[in-house]
């Protein structure tokens, strides 16, 4: 266990405060895996001061040189993959296999966006004026703030930082208080890969103690946030009326629809994987299963068999399928959702309130749980963000689509069917930002535009070329030579 400082102006520093935040292992909450500084308002101002100068230097460096640095960071992430994966397991709790995949995908983000350095960052456009050439230029915004979550504590910072950096911006990364260690390691790797001083800065601490300094600095030009809908909406209010761009990826209540002609074994496989991988703590995790009544019982039998076969244990246990949730508070909140669902009349198909067998009583463990629900139950609408799947029976395809759309959220959905017409109708009518056919609600690649509708997010997508649009501004220049 070590105390890890923040990257400020090219150096890893402590803080003006002696206050340290302990990072605990979700598989054994008695175990402290690291400590990080609780930064003060003065500390945060120092990060922004460095970022101002860093943005100027980084922009002047040019896209090709910036791309070289990002690809070097990708190589370092891959070289340190195993050690970084164990840090993720230790502070977040996901399985070692899941954490290893996360490191690999984070490296892919830096490779992909580093490779965009040689693509056009603008275009020539016609001009009716004699002797005039007009071009469209894509410029960096300047200093950007990345507020990242605990559920994908390396992948999400990479998803945001890679496009922001290739576009020429400086980034200030505020990781979740539960999982800061892997972000500080990412900052170290970017520093070692050649990012100039001030271009990347990190801020650890409690937002309630630094919130004004984090959001109110005059240098701030954009905020990219992944987290709860409540905080995302508050950010919209806080930043309204200022020249600060905001990208939000918020809550979800993702649904799978299984139609009468579906391959039920495939549907069961993909639904269980989507619902219970990473202990259900993914933005795109499947939390609602809408099934046509004629195939409900055989599908539930197939789901039940697969859920019973899942092994719950510490993330570094050989052969484990599901680790703990991230904290005791998260565990207790999820238990509360299950209890309220039962009180509402939901039927427990599998799992429930009883703790899993053969795991530490000191860990944040839960049983993967499947519930029969109705649309009157609170759990049909509330985001649980844990290993809980609600099952709703409907009459037909029309009712299935209507049920999937019965949510304030609109992040991801999937349909299982062998009818191409039904599949295309679902894609056309479902009100989500990500939609799959005979695939799970999760699993989107780095070059796929990513983001939701409704209360799931803002108009700005992440990933792929859409990400570059968020982190750049458009300048139109008309030049006439005299």
């Amino acid at each position: 266990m070590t105390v890890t400082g923040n990257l400020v102006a090219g150096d890893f520093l402590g803080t003006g405060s002696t206050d340290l935040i302990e990072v605990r292992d979700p598989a054994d909450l008695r175990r402290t895996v690291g400590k990080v500084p609780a930064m003060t308002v003065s500390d945060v101002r120092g990060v922004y001061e460095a970022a101002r100068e860093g943005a100027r230097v980084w922009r002047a460096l040019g896209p090709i040189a910036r791309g070289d640095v990002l690809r070097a960071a990708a190589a370092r992430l891959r070289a340190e993959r195993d050690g970084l994966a164990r840090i993720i397991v230790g502070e977040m709790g996901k399985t070692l296999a899941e954490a290893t995949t996360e490191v690999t995908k984070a490296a892919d983000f830096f490779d992909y966006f580093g490779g965009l350095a040689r693509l056009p960052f603008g275009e020539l456009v016609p001009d009716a004026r004699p002797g005039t050439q007009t071009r469209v230029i894509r410029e960096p915004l300047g200093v950007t703030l990345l507020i990242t979550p605990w559920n994908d504590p390396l992948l999400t910072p990479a998803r945001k930082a890679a496009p922001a950096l290739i576009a020429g911006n400086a980034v200030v990364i505020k990781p979740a208080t539960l999982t800061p260690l892997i972000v500080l390691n990412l900052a170290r790797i970017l520093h070692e890969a050649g990012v100039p001083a001030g271009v990347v800065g990190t801020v650890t601490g409690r937002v309630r103690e630094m919130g004004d300094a984090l959001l109110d600095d005059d240098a701030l030009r954009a905020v990219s946030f992944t987290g709860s809908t409540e905080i995302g909406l508050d950010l919209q209010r806080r930043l309204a009326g200022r020249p600060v761009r905001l990208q939000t990826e918020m809550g979800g209540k993702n649904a799978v629809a299984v139609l009468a002609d579906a391959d039920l074994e495939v549907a069961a496989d993909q639904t269980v994987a989507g619902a219970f991988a990473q202990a259900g703590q993914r933005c795109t995790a499947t939390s609602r299963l809408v099934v046509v009544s004629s195939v409900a019982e055989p599908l539930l039998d197939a789901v039940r068999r697969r859920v019973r076969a899942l092994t719950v244990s510490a993330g570094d246990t050989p052969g484990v399928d599901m680790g703990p949730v991230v904290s005791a508070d998260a565990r207790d909140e999820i238990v509360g959702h299950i209890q309220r669902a039962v009180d509402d009349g939901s039927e427990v198909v599998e799992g429930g309130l009883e703790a899993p067998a053969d795991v530490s009583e000191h860990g944040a463990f839960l049983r993967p749980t499947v519930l029969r629900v109705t649309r009157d139950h609170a759990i049909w609408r509330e985001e649980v963000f844990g290993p809980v799947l609600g099952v709703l029976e409907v009459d037909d395809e029309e009712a299935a689509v209507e049920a999937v759309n019965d949510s304030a959220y609109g992040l991801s959905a999937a349909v299982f069917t062998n009818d191409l017409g039904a599949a295309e109708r679902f894609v056309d009518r479902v009100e989500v930002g990500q939609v799959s056919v005979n695939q799970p609600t999760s699993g989107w690649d780095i070059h796929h535009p990513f983001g939701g509708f409704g209360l799931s997010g803002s108009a700005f997508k992440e990933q792929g070329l859409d990400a570059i649009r968020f982190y750049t501004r458009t300048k139109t220049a008309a030049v006439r030579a005299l």
Side-chain angles (χ1 to χ4, degrees), residues 4-6 21 36-40 173-175 180 184 202-206 210:
T4 306
N6 282 276
I21 296 173
V36 299
M39 295 180 79
T40 64
I173 309 176
K174 169 61 178 76
L184 298 181
T202 59
V203 173
T204 57
R206 305 174 185 93
M210 66 172 75

Side-chain angles (χ1 to χ4, degrees), residues 119-461:
L119 290 182
F121 270 65
E123 58 186 334
L124 290 174
V125 296
D127 197 304
R129 293 167 289 187
T132 302
Q133 282 198 334
T134 299
R135 62 186 184 270
V136 177
I137 305 163
R138 306 291 296 186
E139 295 184 339
L141 301 175
V143 177
T144 62
L145 171 63
L146 316 180
I147 304 175
T148 63
W150 50 259
N151 64 315
D152 286 314
L154 176 61
L155 185 150
T156 306
R159 172 192 285 155
K160 298 178 186 295
L165 289 170
I166 196 59
N169 300 283
V171 299
V172 175
I173 309 176
K174 169 61 178 76
T177 305
L178 290 170
T179 57
L181 302 178
I182 193 64
V183 168
L184 298 181
N185 276 274
L186 173 61
R188 170 185 59 79
I189 285 170
L190 287 165
H191 175 70
E192 293 171 353
V195 171
V199 174
V200 175
T202 59
V203 173
T204 57
R206 305 174 185 93
V207 170
R208 66 180 181 273
E209 298 171 6
M210 66 172 75
D212 289 345
L214 198 63
L215 294 174
D216 292 350
D217 196 282
D218 289 340
L220 185 62
R221 290 294 174 266
V223 176
S224 180
F225 166 79
T226 297
S228 72
T229 300
E230 178 185 7
I231 295 176
L233 295 177
D234 184 61
L235 283 171
Q236 291 178 11
R237 291 186 287 267
R238 287 285 306 274
L239 296 173
R242 291 175 57 192
V244 179
R245 192 173 291 186
L246 176 62
Q247 177 186 66
T248 57
E249 200 261 286
M250 302 185 289
K253 194 66 179 175
N254 310 302
V256 160
V258 180
L259 305 187
D261 67 330
D263 184 318
L264 299 185
E265 295 299 311
V266 171
D269 281 340
Q270 301 300 320
T271 300
V272 170
F276 301 114
Q278 207 166 296
Q281 299 171 120
R282 290 192 292 193
C283 301
T284 53
T286 304
S287 60
R288 296 183 296 155
L289 171 57
V290 179
V291 56
V292 172
S293 296
S294 61
V295 294
E297 289 307 322
L299 177 65
L300 277 177
D301 285 343
V303 167
R304 187 184 294 111
R305 291 196 307 272
R306 286 158 175 78
V307 172
R308 286 178 177 172
L310 295 176
T311 301
V312 180
S313 188
D316 56 359
T317 304
V320 64
D321 297 302
M322 192 180 98
V325 296
V326 71
S327 68
D329 287 345
R331 175 197 60 204
D332 295 345
E333 183 176 344
I334 296 163
V335 167
H337 280 291
I338 298 171
Q339 183 63 65
R340 285 191 295 275
V342 172
D343 292 344
D344 281 345
S346 297
E347 174 194 345
V348 178
V349 175
E350 191 59 45
L353 297 168
E354 185 179 342
D358 302 321
V359 295
S360 170
E361 63 179 306
H362 303 290
F365 293 100
L366 288 165
R367 297 175 70 190
T369 296
V370 181
L371 303 167
R372 282 184 189 262
V373 304
T374 75
R375 288 164 65 168
D376 295 327
H377 296 166
I379 203 164
W380 171 255
R381 303 185 187 281
E382 294 174 349
E383 183 179 34
V384 177
F385 218 69
V388 180
L389 177 67
V391 182
L392 176 75
E393 293 185 32
V394 295
D395 292 335
D396 53 25
E397 175 195 330
E398 181 73 19
V401 173
E402 197 271 332
V404 169
N405 285 337
D406 182 27
S407 175
Y409 300 107
L411 183 54
S412 188
V415 65
F416 288 84
T417 179
N418 285 311
D419 182 336
L420 182 59
E424 292 292 354
R425 287 190 294 272
F426 187 88
V427 169
D428 180 61
R429 295 175 60 198
V430 74
E431 297 175 4
V432 297
Q434 321 294 126
V435 56
S436 298
V437 176
N438 296 325
Q439 295 279 6
T441 54
S442 56
W444 302 94
D445 209 342
I446 57 171
H447 58 288
H448 298 159
F450 181 85
F453 301 159
L455 290 183
S456 287
S458 65
F460 292 108
K461 289 270 191 172

